[in-house]
Amino acid sequence: MVQHVPLDHAFAALADETRRGILERLGEGPATISRLAEPTGMTITGIRKHVDVLVEAGLVTTEKVGRSRLCRLGPERLDEAMAWMEAYRQLQERAVGGRPTYLTLRDAEEAGQTPSA
């Protein structure tokens, strides 16, 4: 079986709603651990544990600035995860023999089109 350790770390990091929220917040710009903790009601220690998972996955970087730890989006842009999902989508489309998949139907609906069955 092929091992995809970076892919495993990315999916594990994204599996948690709090971590996805942290990534969304960091998409707006860098933030300290305490700033990330404010809207969640979590302790700084709790948020730090989530940030550590994101750091391990390469999705976030941190640096010490004075007494604070500043977080930024990391170098990994989920390229490997996106490539895996695209390959899986193609496999799924071949497996259903050209029948529209949920994603095809959803995309057509969002575009205001009537999908052909």
Side-chain angles (χ1 to χ4, degrees):
M1 180 173 198
V2 177
Q3 290 192 354
H4 298 278
V5 174
L7 186 60
D8 294 344
H9 286 294
F11 282 127
L14 294 171
D16 185 86
E17 179 180 4
T18 300
R19 291 191 286 268
R20 291 190 306 270
I22 290 169
L23 291 175
E24 287 176 25
R25 168 55 188 86
L26 292 177
E28 299 169 9
T32 62
I33 298 278
S34 59
R35 288 275 182 188
L36 293 172
E38 285 173 5
T40 66
M42 293 181 72
T43 65
I44 290 173
T45 302
I47 285 294
R48 177 61 197 245
K49 289 178 182 181
H50 285 290
V51 168
D52 288 345
V53 171
L54 293 166
V55 167
E56 171 119 2
L59 301 175
V60 169
T61 62
T62 66
E63 70 175 295
K64 187 113 169 114
V65 178
R67 295 182 62 200
S68 299
R69 182 143 304 270
L70 190 64
C71 304
R72 291 185 169 85
L73 289 178
E76 297 297 322
R77 300 288 185 219
L78 295 177
D79 292 338
E80 187 174 349
M82 295 301 290
W84 184 89
M85 286 187 285
E86 176 59 23
Y88 182 77
R89 185 190 62 77
Q90 291 174 6
L91 286 172
Q92 185 183 35
E93 284 182 359
R94 282 196 297 267
V96 296
R99 291 177 291 175
T101 64
Y102 166 76
L103 295 176
T104 304
L105 295 172
R106 186 201 64 199
D107 291 346
E109 183 178 290
E110 286 177 0
Q113 301 169 350
T114 304
S116 56

